[in-house]
Amino acid sequence: MATRPAHFISDPDGVLHPTENARSRWGDDMLNGPAVVSLAAWHLEQRYGVAGFLPARLTVDLFRAARRVPTTLRARLIRDGHRVRNTECEVVQGEVVVARATMVQYRQSQPPPGHEWSGDARFDAPPAAEPHVFFIGSDDAGWERDGGKHQNTSRKRVYHSPIDVVAGHHVTPFLRAVMVAEATSLVTNLGTKGIGYINGDLTVALSRLPQSEFIGVQGDSHWVQDGISVGNATLFDDVGPFGTGLVTAVANPAAQIDFSRPDAIPKLSV
């Protein structure tokens, strides 16, 4: 029997049942973003992952709020090329598709000759980290697990070692990157009154797989107008930067998450 924490438990028929770990802050009956995006990624990697190919891009469109109900998956191979593989997965609850993911895999090879421009990115991890504990930092408050301390306008970052997606299946480097990359929405949309945008998608772009258990996400840009938000972040492992997260989001003030409220959950965790 699996004892490691996970977002879902699979029954003998392959139906996925959300655990308490998958619960969202937007509502007790909703699933959190990391659970949904990593479930689609898990299925695509399980069915269509191929040695020698890197999952270079995963885009998940979150059509509807995913609920804490039995969930099924359906996937298909779109193109099986010599250098490029394209696959697709739908996350289904009842008869409703709540999310759709597309994954692009590239065959790994030798780089072309010459040198290219590369960004100068640096990430300073917290001095001590505990597995599965969600660390959040900001330029104004440093590393502090209390989300209310980071309700400011300074740059945000996250450092995390996520749990398994499905019980009995240890999290892989690809799934680890996808789960932590979902915090792009947090590090770009957390402001002085909390989080008032809900992301409708996530794109994770990778130049390589992460080589460490802990992954950092650091906000790079955040642009807003008329209730629409666009944010991107850089992903880091212990070696250095290796990928990018991108989210678009829509204003959701009716369900604003204010971490400074007395009734708010005091510490962030995923």
Side-chain angles (χ1 to χ4, degrees), residues 120-123 136-142 150 152-157 187-188 190 217-221 232-234 236:
D120 182 15
R122 175 179 173 179
F123 184 89
I136 180 169
S138 63
D139 286 352
D140 285 355
H150 302 289
N152 54 51
T153 58
S154 69
R155 191 181 196 183
K156 313 289 191 312
R157 55 194 59 84
V187 301
T188 58
L190 178 58
V217 181
Q218 183 164 260
D220 283 330
S221 71
N232 85 289
T234 297
F236 298 81

Side-chain angles (χ1 to χ4, degrees), residues 14 16 38-49 58 71-79 85-92 97 99-103 105:
L16 287 306
S38 64
L39 184 63
W42 172 79
H43 194 56
L44 287 172
E45 185 179 42
Q46 286 268 313
R47 289 200 60 181
Y48 299 114
L58 177 80
T71 302
T72 57
L73 303 166
R74 56 192 185 210
R76 67 189 181 104
L77 177 66
I78 299 172
R79 181 176 185 270
R85 288 170 56 84
N86 303 79
T87 52
E88 180 181 82
C89 175
E90 292 181 332
V91 180
V92 185
V97 177
R100 176 179 294 124
T102 55
M103 183 172 72
Q105 298 176 82

Side-chain angles (χ1 to χ4, degrees), residues 153-171:
T153 58
S154 69
R155 191 181 196 183
K156 313 289 191 312
R157 55 194 59 84
V158 155
Y159 193 62
H160 187 38
S161 165
I163 63 176
D164 293 341
V165 182
V166 177
H169 299 266
H170 283 205
V171 63

Side-chain angles (χ1 to χ4, degrees), residues 25 133-134 136 145-147 186 259 265-270:
R25 291 177 181 276
V133 174
F134 194 90
I136 180 169
R145 289 192 61 213
D146 184 343
L186 172 67
F259 295 106
I265 301 174
K267 295 186 185 299
L268 293 170
S269 62
V270 173

